[in-house]
Structures are given as C-alpha cells and as structure tokens.
PDB file of all heavy atoms in Angstrom:
ATOM      1  N   HIS A   1       8.367  -7.687  -5.242  1.00 77.00           N
ATOM      2  CA  HIS A   1       7.052  -7.599  -4.634  1.00 77.00           C
ATOM      3  C   HIS A   1       7.149  -7.283  -3.150  1.00 77.00           C
ATOM      4  O   HIS A   1       6.429  -7.986  -2.295  1.00 77.00           O
ATOM      5  CB  HIS A   1       6.213  -8.907  -4.899  1.00 77.00           C
ATOM      6  CG  HIS A   1       5.952  -9.133  -6.298  1.00 77.00           C
ATOM      7  ND1 HIS A   1       4.917  -8.329  -7.000  1.00 77.00           N
ATOM      8  CD2 HIS A   1       6.566  -9.889  -7.240  1.00 77.00           C
ATOM      9  CE1 HIS A   1       4.876  -8.765  -8.213  1.00 77.00           C
ATOM     10  NE2 HIS A   1       5.842  -9.644  -8.475  1.00 77.00           N
ATOM     11  N   THR A   2       8.040  -6.417  -2.724  1.00 74.00           N
ATOM     12  CA  THR A   2       8.152  -6.128  -1.394  1.00 74.00           C
ATOM     13  C   THR A   2       6.817  -5.554  -0.740  1.00 74.00           C
ATOM     14  O   THR A   2       6.059  -4.782  -1.456  1.00 74.00           O
ATOM     15  CB  THR A   2       9.262  -5.009  -1.234  1.00 74.00           C
ATOM     16  OG1 THR A   2      10.450  -5.597  -1.674  1.00 74.00           O
ATOM     17  CG2 THR A   2       9.378  -4.523   0.237  1.00 74.00           C
ATOM     18  N   GLN A   3       6.503  -5.987   0.387  1.00 73.00           N
ATOM     19  CA  GLN A   3       5.245  -5.524   1.028  1.00 73.00           C
ATOM     20  C   GLN A   3       5.425  -4.445   2.060  1.00 73.00           C
ATOM     21  O   GLN A   3       6.408  -4.399   2.738  1.00 73.00           O
ATOM     22  CB  GLN A   3       4.630  -6.758   1.714  1.00 73.00           C
ATOM     23  CG  GLN A   3       4.383  -8.010   0.867  1.00 73.00           C
ATOM     24  CD  GLN A   3       3.227  -7.774  -0.095  1.00 73.00           C
ATOM     25  OE1 GLN A   3       2.102  -7.664   0.369  1.00 73.00           O
ATOM     26  NE2 GLN A   3       3.462  -7.891  -1.363  1.00 73.00           N
ATOM     27  N   VAL A   4       4.333  -3.597   2.129  1.00 76.00           N
ATOM     28  CA  VAL A   4       4.331  -2.510   3.190  1.00 76.00           C
ATOM     29  C   VAL A   4       2.986  -2.517   3.789  1.00 76.00           C
ATOM     30  O   VAL A   4       1.983  -3.224   3.258  1.00 76.00           O
ATOM     31  CB  VAL A   4       4.527  -1.014   2.500  1.00 76.00           C
ATOM     32  CG1 VAL A   4       5.927  -0.980   1.948  1.00 76.00           C
ATOM     33  CG2 VAL A   4       3.472  -0.779   1.543  1.00 76.00           C
ATOM     34  N   THR A   5       2.874  -1.973   4.924  1.00 72.00           N
ATOM     35  CA  THR A   5       1.533  -1.911   5.686  1.00 72.00           C
ATOM     36  C   THR A   5       0.719  -0.703   5.263  1.00 72.00           C
ATOM     37  O   THR A   5       1.239   0.488   5.295  1.00 72.00           O
ATOM     38  CB  THR A   5       1.765  -1.949   7.209  1.00 72.00           C
ATOM     39  OG1 THR A   5       2.612  -3.103   7.567  1.00 72.00           O
ATOM     40  CG2 THR A   5       0.527  -1.932   7.956  1.00 72.00           C
ATOM     41  N   CYS A   6      -0.415  -0.936   4.881  1.00 80.00           N
ATOM     42  CA  CYS A   6      -1.288   0.215   4.432  1.00 80.00           C
ATOM     43  C   CYS A   6      -1.695   1.003   5.649  1.00 80.00           C
ATOM     44  O   CYS A   6      -2.109   0.483   6.709  1.00 80.00           O
ATOM     45  CB  CYS A   6      -2.621  -0.300   3.750  1.00 80.00           C
ATOM     46  SG  CYS A   6      -3.761   0.922   3.400  1.00 80.00           S
ATOM     47  N   PRO A   7      -1.439   2.339   5.667  1.00 74.00           N
ATOM     48  CA  PRO A   7      -1.768   3.166   6.749  1.00 74.00           C
ATOM     49  C   PRO A   7      -3.316   3.355   7.087  1.00 74.00           C
ATOM     50  O   PRO A   7      -3.729   3.828   8.089  1.00 74.00           O
ATOM     51  CB  PRO A   7      -1.088   4.562   6.446  1.00 74.00           C
ATOM     52  CG  PRO A   7      -1.143   4.579   4.887  1.00 74.00           C
ATOM     53  CD  PRO A   7      -0.975   3.166   4.519  1.00 74.00           C
ATOM     54  N   HIS A   8      -4.162   2.885   6.077  1.00 78.00           N
ATOM     55  CA  HIS A   8      -5.596   3.109   6.220  1.00 78.00           C
ATOM     56  C   HIS A   8      -6.291   1.795   6.789  1.00 78.00           C
ATOM     57  O   HIS A   8      -7.060   1.988   7.775  1.00 78.00           O
ATOM     58  CB  HIS A   8      -6.183   3.446   4.866  1.00 78.00           C
ATOM     59  CG  HIS A   8      -5.520   4.650   4.234  1.00 78.00           C
ATOM     60  ND1 HIS A   8      -5.804   5.902   4.737  1.00 78.00           N
ATOM     61  CD2 HIS A   8      -4.657   4.770   3.220  1.00 78.00           C
ATOM     62  CE1 HIS A   8      -5.096   6.790   4.062  1.00 78.00           C
ATOM     63  NE2 HIS A   8      -4.340   6.196   3.046  1.00 78.00           N
ATOM     64  N   CYS A   9      -5.924   0.729   6.185  1.00 83.00           N
ATOM     65  CA  CYS A   9      -6.658  -0.583   6.660  1.00 83.00           C
ATOM     66  C   CYS A   9      -5.713  -1.496   7.398  1.00 83.00           C
ATOM     67  O   CYS A   9      -6.164  -2.508   7.944  1.00 83.00           O
ATOM     68  CB  CYS A   9      -7.238  -1.284   5.455  1.00 83.00           C
ATOM     69  SG  CYS A   9      -6.027  -1.903   4.235  1.00 83.00           S
ATOM     70  N   GLY A  10      -4.390  -1.234   7.449  1.00 71.00           N
ATOM     71  CA  GLY A  10      -3.438  -2.066   8.178  1.00 71.00           C
ATOM     72  C   GLY A  10      -3.048  -3.461   7.528  1.00 71.00           C
ATOM     73  O   GLY A  10      -2.337  -4.198   8.008  1.00 71.00           O
ATOM     74  N   ALA A  11      -3.535  -3.661   6.258  1.00 77.00           N
ATOM     75  CA  ALA A  11      -3.227  -4.807   5.598  1.00 77.00           C
ATOM     76  C   ALA A  11      -1.837  -4.654   4.843  1.00 77.00           C
ATOM     77  O   ALA A  11      -1.341  -3.518   4.494  1.00 77.00           O
ATOM     78  CB  ALA A  11      -4.294  -5.176   4.565  1.00 77.00           C
ATOM     79  N   LYS A  12      -1.171  -5.903   4.562  1.00 76.00           N
ATOM     80  CA  LYS A  12       0.091  -5.911   3.762  1.00 76.00           C
ATOM     81  C   LYS A  12      -0.304  -5.758   2.265  1.00 76.00           C
ATOM     82  O   LYS A  12      -1.208  -6.499   1.793  1.00 76.00           O
ATOM     83  CB  LYS A  12       0.761  -7.217   4.042  1.00 76.00           C
ATOM     84  CG  LYS A  12       1.297  -7.365   5.446  1.00 76.00           C
ATOM     85  CD  LYS A  12       2.420  -6.281   5.734  1.00 76.00           C
ATOM     86  CE  LYS A  12       2.964  -6.592   7.149  1.00 76.00           C
ATOM     87  NZ  LYS A  12       4.063  -5.640   7.486  1.00 76.00           N
ATOM     88  N   THR A  13       0.363  -4.926   1.605  1.00 75.00           N
ATOM     89  CA  THR A  13       0.108  -4.687   0.173  1.00 75.00           C
ATOM     90  C   THR A  13       1.454  -4.444  -0.572  1.00 75.00           C
ATOM     91  O   THR A  13       2.486  -4.127  -0.050  1.00 75.00           O
ATOM     92  CB  THR A  13      -0.863  -3.464   0.000  1.00 75.00           C
ATOM     93  OG1 THR A  13      -1.198  -3.363  -1.451  1.00 75.00           O
ATOM     94  CG2 THR A  13      -0.201  -2.216   0.405  1.00 75.00           C
ATOM     95  N   ASP A  14       1.391  -4.579  -1.886  1.00 69.00           N
ATOM     96  CA  ASP A  14       2.565  -4.351  -2.713  1.00 69.00           C
ATOM     97  C   ASP A  14       3.121  -3.003  -2.711  1.00 69.00           C
ATOM     98  O   ASP A  14       2.449  -2.035  -3.100  1.00 69.00           O
ATOM     99  CB  ASP A  14       2.266  -4.874  -4.177  1.00 69.00           C
ATOM    100  CG  ASP A  14       3.468  -5.081  -5.063  1.00 69.00           C
ATOM    101  OD1 ASP A  14       4.520  -4.508  -4.603  1.00 69.00           O
ATOM    102  OD2 ASP A  14       3.382  -5.720  -6.075  1.00 69.00           O
ATOM    103  N   ALA A  15       4.352  -2.919  -2.324  1.00 68.00           N
ATOM    104  CA  ALA A  15       4.942  -1.541  -2.222  1.00 68.00           C
ATOM    105  C   ALA A  15       5.202  -0.798  -3.528  1.00 68.00           C
ATOM    106  O   ALA A  15       5.301   0.401  -3.656  1.00 68.00           O
ATOM    107  CB  ALA A  15       6.299  -1.548  -1.427  1.00 68.00           C
ATOM    108  N   SER A  16       5.186  -1.644  -4.669  1.00 66.00           N
ATOM    109  CA  SER A  16       5.426  -1.102  -6.018  1.00 66.00           C
ATOM    110  C   SER A  16       4.208  -0.424  -6.541  1.00 66.00           C
ATOM    111  O   SER A  16       4.238   0.276  -7.515  1.00 66.00           O
ATOM    112  CB  SER A  16       6.016  -2.175  -6.892  1.00 66.00           C
ATOM    113  OG  SER A  16       4.939  -3.161  -7.135  1.00 66.00           O
ATOM    114  N   GLN A  17       3.063  -0.612  -5.901  1.00 73.00           N
ATOM    115  CA  GLN A  17       1.841   0.010  -6.391  1.00 73.00           C
ATOM    116  C   GLN A  17       1.378   1.265  -5.633  1.00 73.00           C
ATOM    117  O   GLN A  17       1.657   1.237  -4.337  1.00 73.00           O
ATOM    118  CB  GLN A  17       0.627  -0.968  -6.276  1.00 73.00           C
ATOM    119  CG  GLN A  17       0.946  -2.301  -6.986  1.00 73.00           C
ATOM    120  CD  GLN A  17       1.086  -2.091  -8.521  1.00 73.00           C
ATOM    121  OE1 GLN A  17       0.405  -1.205  -9.140  1.00 73.00           O
ATOM    122  NE2 GLN A  17       2.040  -2.800  -9.082  1.00 73.00           N
ATOM    123  N   PRO A  18       0.854   2.316  -6.191  1.00 74.00           N
ATOM    124  CA  PRO A  18       0.512   3.518  -5.412  1.00 74.00           C
ATOM    125  C   PRO A  18      -0.672   3.382  -4.583  1.00 74.00           C
ATOM    126  O   PRO A  18      -0.916   4.210  -3.614  1.00 74.00           O
ATOM    127  CB  PRO A  18       0.241   4.508  -6.496  1.00 74.00           C
ATOM    128  CG  PRO A  18      -0.156   3.788  -7.693  1.00 74.00           C
ATOM    129  CD  PRO A  18       0.585   2.424  -7.646  1.00 74.00           C
ATOM    130  N   TYR A  19      -1.617   2.360  -4.806  1.00 76.00           N
ATOM    131  CA  TYR A  19      -2.828   2.190  -4.080  1.00 76.00           C
ATOM    132  C   TYR A  19      -2.700   0.870  -3.308  1.00 76.00           C
ATOM    133  O   TYR A  19      -2.154  -0.110  -3.798  1.00 76.00           O
ATOM    134  CB  TYR A  19      -4.028   2.177  -5.044  1.00 76.00           C
ATOM    135  CG  TYR A  19      -4.213   3.610  -5.735  1.00 76.00           C
ATOM    136  CD1 TYR A  19      -3.602   3.740  -7.036  1.00 76.00           C
ATOM    137  CD2 TYR A  19      -4.904   4.501  -5.146  1.00 76.00           C
ATOM    138  CE1 TYR A  19      -3.831   5.026  -7.600  1.00 76.00           C
ATOM    139  CE2 TYR A  19      -5.056   5.775  -5.703  1.00 76.00           C
ATOM    140  CZ  TYR A  19      -4.576   5.998  -6.970  1.00 76.00           C
ATOM    141  OH  TYR A  19      -4.725   7.195  -7.555  1.00 76.00           O
ATOM    142  N   CYS A  20      -3.368   0.781  -2.142  1.00 79.00           N
ATOM    143  CA  CYS A  20      -3.551  -0.423  -1.459  1.00 79.00           C
ATOM    144  C   CYS A  20      -4.312  -1.507  -2.201  1.00 79.00           C
ATOM    145  O   CYS A  20      -5.425  -1.186  -2.721  1.00 79.00           O
ATOM    146  CB  CYS A  20      -4.149  -0.098  -0.008  1.00 79.00           C
ATOM    147  SG  CYS A  20      -4.490  -1.617   0.943  1.00 79.00           S
ATOM    148  N   GLY A  21      -3.871  -2.688  -2.211  1.00 75.00           N
ATOM    149  CA  GLY A  21      -4.548  -3.752  -2.895  1.00 75.00           C
ATOM    150  C   GLY A  21      -5.725  -4.240  -2.241  1.00 75.00           C
ATOM    151  O   GLY A  21      -6.541  -5.096  -2.780  1.00 75.00           O
ATOM    152  N   HIS A  22      -6.031  -3.810  -0.942  1.00 75.00           N
ATOM    153  CA  HIS A  22      -7.158  -4.294  -0.106  1.00 75.00           C
ATOM    154  C   HIS A  22      -8.230  -3.185  -0.024  1.00 75.00           C
ATOM    155  O   HIS A  22      -9.403  -3.474  -0.338  1.00 75.00           O
ATOM    156  CB  HIS A  22      -6.792  -4.686   1.157  1.00 75.00           C
ATOM    157  CG  HIS A  22      -5.796  -5.754   1.180  1.00 75.00           C
ATOM    158  ND1 HIS A  22      -6.103  -7.079   1.154  1.00 75.00           N
ATOM    159  CD2 HIS A  22      -4.379  -5.796   1.180  1.00 75.00           C
ATOM    160  CE1 HIS A  22      -4.986  -7.880   1.113  1.00 75.00           C
ATOM    161  NE2 HIS A  22      -3.953  -7.125   1.113  1.00 75.00           N
ATOM    162  N   CYS A  23      -7.927  -1.980   0.315  1.00 82.00           N
ATOM    163  CA  CYS A  23      -8.951  -0.965   0.572  1.00 82.00           C
ATOM    164  C   CYS A  23      -8.899   0.031  -0.589  1.00 82.00           C
ATOM    165  O   CYS A  23      -9.867   0.910  -0.693  1.00 82.00           O
ATOM    166  CB  CYS A  23      -8.659  -0.256   1.815  1.00 82.00           C
ATOM    167  SG  CYS A  23      -7.118   0.827   1.952  1.00 82.00           S
ATOM    168  N   GLY A  24      -7.982   0.091  -1.487  1.00 75.00           N
ATOM    169  CA  GLY A  24      -8.001   0.939  -2.607  1.00 75.00           C
ATOM    170  C   GLY A  24      -7.515   2.345  -2.272  1.00 75.00           C
ATOM    171  O   GLY A  24      -7.437   3.296  -3.155  1.00 75.00           O
ATOM    172  N   GLN A  25      -7.139   2.720  -1.034  1.00 75.00           N
ATOM    173  CA  GLN A  25      -6.692   4.059  -0.658  1.00 75.00           C
ATOM    174  C   GLN A  25      -5.241   4.272  -1.170  1.00 75.00           C
ATOM    175  O   GLN A  25      -4.394   3.368  -1.288  1.00 75.00           O
ATOM    176  CB  GLN A  25      -6.730   4.143   0.933  1.00 75.00           C
ATOM    177  CG  GLN A  25      -8.071   4.112   1.543  1.00 75.00           C
ATOM    178  CD  GLN A  25      -8.967   5.244   0.994  1.00 75.00           C
ATOM    179  OE1 GLN A  25      -8.449   6.401   0.950  1.00 75.00           O
ATOM    180  NE2 GLN A  25     -10.224   4.990   0.799  1.00 75.00           N
ATOM    181  N   LEU A  26      -4.968   5.610  -1.344  1.00 77.00           N
ATOM    182  CA  LEU A  26      -3.635   5.901  -1.825  1.00 77.00           C
ATOM    183  C   LEU A  26      -2.675   5.660  -0.644  1.00 77.00           C
ATOM    184  O   LEU A  26      -2.814   6.071   0.460  1.00 77.00           O
ATOM    185  CB  LEU A  26      -3.592   7.318  -2.188  1.00 77.00           C
ATOM    186  CG  LEU A  26      -2.281   7.995  -2.778  1.00 77.00           C
ATOM    187  CD1 LEU A  26      -1.948   7.340  -4.152  1.00 77.00           C
ATOM    188  CD2 LEU A  26      -2.384   9.434  -2.874  1.00 77.00           C
ATOM    189  N   LEU A  27      -1.515   5.072  -0.987  1.00 72.00           N
ATOM    190  CA  LEU A  27      -0.566   4.722   0.005  1.00 72.00           C
ATOM    191  C   LEU A  27       0.311   5.874   0.429  1.00 72.00           C
ATOM    192  O   LEU A  27       0.657   6.039   1.570  1.00 72.00           O
ATOM    193  CB  LEU A  27       0.366   3.565  -0.586  1.00 72.00           C
ATOM    194  CG  LEU A  27      -0.296   2.194  -0.708  1.00 72.00           C
ATOM    195  CD1 LEU A  27       0.711   1.274  -1.328  1.00 72.00           C
ATOM    196  CD2 LEU A  27      -0.803   1.656   0.574  1.00 72.00           C
ATOM    197  N   GLY A  28       0.630   6.770  -0.507  1.00 70.00           N
ATOM    198  CA  GLY A  28       1.343   7.920  -0.170  1.00 70.00           C
ATOM    199  C   GLY A  28       2.751   7.595   0.225  1.00 70.00           C
ATOM    200  O   GLY A  28       3.455   6.829  -0.416  1.00 70.00           O
ATOM    201  N   ASP A  29       3.141   8.190   1.326  1.00 65.00           N
ATOM    202  CA  ASP A  29       4.604   8.019   1.876  1.00 65.00           C
ATOM    203  C   ASP A  29       4.820   6.565   2.428  1.00 65.00           C
ATOM    204  O   ASP A  29       5.940   6.140   2.397  1.00 65.00           O
ATOM    205  CB  ASP A  29       4.780   8.956   3.039  1.00 65.00           C
ATOM    206  CG  ASP A  29       4.918  10.338   2.541  1.00 65.00           C
ATOM    207  OD1 ASP A  29       5.159  10.592   1.294  1.00 65.00           O
ATOM    208  OD2 ASP A  29       4.712  11.279   3.329  1.00 65.00           O
ATOM    209  N   ALA A  30       3.728   5.782   2.676  1.00 56.00           N
ATOM    210  CA  ALA A  30       3.899   4.425   3.024  1.00 56.00           C
ATOM    211  C   ALA A  30       4.589   3.500   2.006  1.00 56.00           C
ATOM    212  O   ALA A  30       5.340   2.642   2.360  1.00 56.00           O
ATOM    213  CB  ALA A  30       2.611   3.864   3.471  1.00 56.00           C
ATOM    214  N   ALA A  31       4.326   3.859   0.666  1.00 53.00           N
ATOM    215  CA  ALA A  31       4.959   3.099  -0.356  1.00 53.00           C
ATOM    216  C   ALA A  31       6.384   3.395  -0.483  1.00 53.00           C
ATOM    217  O   ALA A  31       7.097   2.630  -1.131  1.00 53.00           O
ATOM    218  CB  ALA A  31       4.295   3.449  -1.681  1.00 53.00           C
ATOM    219  N   LYS A  32       6.860   4.471   0.208  1.00 55.00           N
ATOM    220  CA  LYS A  32       8.280   4.747   0.053  1.00 55.00           C
ATOM    221  C   LYS A  32       9.055   4.422   1.350  1.00 55.00           C
ATOM    222  O   LYS A  32      10.142   4.900   1.651  1.00 55.00           O
ATOM    223  CB  LYS A  32       8.515   6.260  -0.128  1.00 55.00           C
ATOM    224  CG  LYS A  32       7.770   6.820  -1.396  1.00 55.00           C
ATOM    225  CD  LYS A  32       7.869   8.357  -1.550  1.00 55.00           C
ATOM    226  CE  LYS A  32       7.137   8.861  -2.706  1.00 55.00           C
ATOM    227  NZ  LYS A  32       7.286  10.384  -2.833  1.00 55.00           N
TER     228      LYS A  32
END
C-alpha cells in the first residue's frame, strides 16, 4: 500500500490503484 501524491488534488493515495482515492482523477505517470 505504498502511497503517492496525486498530481490533481495533492492528496496521498494508494500507488497500486490507477485512480486517486480522493478526487477520482486518473493518476497516470504518478502511479509509476
């Protein structure tokens, strides 16, 4: 459950998911 910073809302979200768990936007390259 490594966390990354969402480039859209700036919140920490699960890097294993393609979408931000807070704003629902596609993480894209941020997940990688």
